[in-house]
Amino acid sequence: MKAKIYIKYKEGILDPQGKTVHNALESMDIKDISCVTIGKYIEMDFDNISKESAELITEDSCKKLLANPNTESYTFEIVD
Amino acid sequence: MKAKIYIKYKEGILDPQGKTVHNALESMDIKDISCVTIGKYIEMDFDNISKESAELITEDSCKKLLANPNTESYTFEIVD
């Protein structure tokens, strides 16, 4: 059982790393991109537990540690 | 049109940030996790282009800038 967690900045929060990467891509002649945002992709592997427990643990981890509630939003999915 | 890009360390590459987060979660009494790995989640928005062009641009961006070919692997999907 594994959780895939996607964390990104909330709408309206400045993402300087994304802007920098966007500029770098343009300077490399990679065009047609209107916006780049950079967040975190976290994978958590679990021991033998149910999908329900995995969801609870993941939700708890995101709330208490992984995502900054002021500036970031998160989504996740549990896969086998 | 938007690309969602997931970048993570290749199998066998040490991920100290993941280890640190794993330890922190355990010290907060969040158990049953066997492994945590931390990668990047990048979203790229495109101007009006076809799905095929978006795939080419994303592949190009990952190869030339976003992922370190020595230590990281990437996957992506194109969504509307």
Side-chain angles (χ1 to χ4, degrees):
Chain A
M1 193 80 66
K2 173 182 287 208
K4 296 181 172 190
I5 305 168
Y6 315 103
I7 299 174
K8 60 178 185 173
Y9 284 119
K10 286 179 182 169
E11 206 73 28
I13 301 285
L14 183 70
D15 178 5
Q17 199 188 356
K19 274 230 178 289
T20 306
V21 166
H22 189 187
N23 290 347
L25 288 169
E26 287 202 326
S27 76
M28 294 163 69
D29 233 28
I30 299 178
K31 309 281 188 191
D32 289 321
I33 300 169
S34 57
C35 181
V36 179
T37 58
I38 299 192
K40 276 175 282 187
Y41 169 56
I42 301 175
E43 284 187 358
M44 290 201 310
D45 294 329
F46 296 105
D47 303 325
N48 284 331
I49 59 171
S50 69
K51 191 168 181 180
E52 288 70 32
S53 309
E55 275 173 4
L56 287 176
I57 291 172
T58 306
E59 183 77 42
D60 214 27
S61 304
C62 288
K63 275 220 179 90
K64 292 185 180 161
L65 185 71
L66 300 178
N68 177 344
N70 293 326
T71 57
E72 294 171 328
S73 65
Y74 62 88
T75 54
F76 64 84
E77 54 183 335
I78 308 290
V79 297
D80 279 326
Chain B
M1 194 79 64
K2 174 183 288 211
K4 296 181 171 190
I5 305 168
Y6 315 102
I7 299 175
K8 61 177 184 172
Y9 284 119
K10 286 179 181 168
E11 206 73 27
I13 301 286
L14 184 70
D15 178 4
Q17 200 187 356
K19 273 230 178 289
T20 305
V21 166
H22 190 187
N23 290 347
L25 288 169
E26 287 202 325
S27 76
M28 294 163 68
D29 233 28
I30 299 179
K31 309 283 188 190
D32 289 320
I33 301 169
S34 57
C35 180
V36 179
T37 59
I38 299 192
K40 276 175 282 187
Y41 169 57
I42 301 175
E43 283 188 358
M44 290 200 311
D45 294 330
F46 297 104
D47 303 325
N48 284 330
I49 59 172
S50 67
K51 192 169 180 180
E52 288 69 33
S53 308
E55 275 173 3
L56 286 175
I57 291 172
T58 306
E59 184 76 42
D60 215 27
S61 305
C62 288
K63 276 221 179 89
K64 291 185 181 163
L65 185 71
L66 301 177
N68 177 345
N70 294 325
T71 57
E72 294 171 328
S73 65
Y74 62 89
T75 55
F76 65 84
E77 53 183 336
I78 309 290
V79 297
D80 279 326

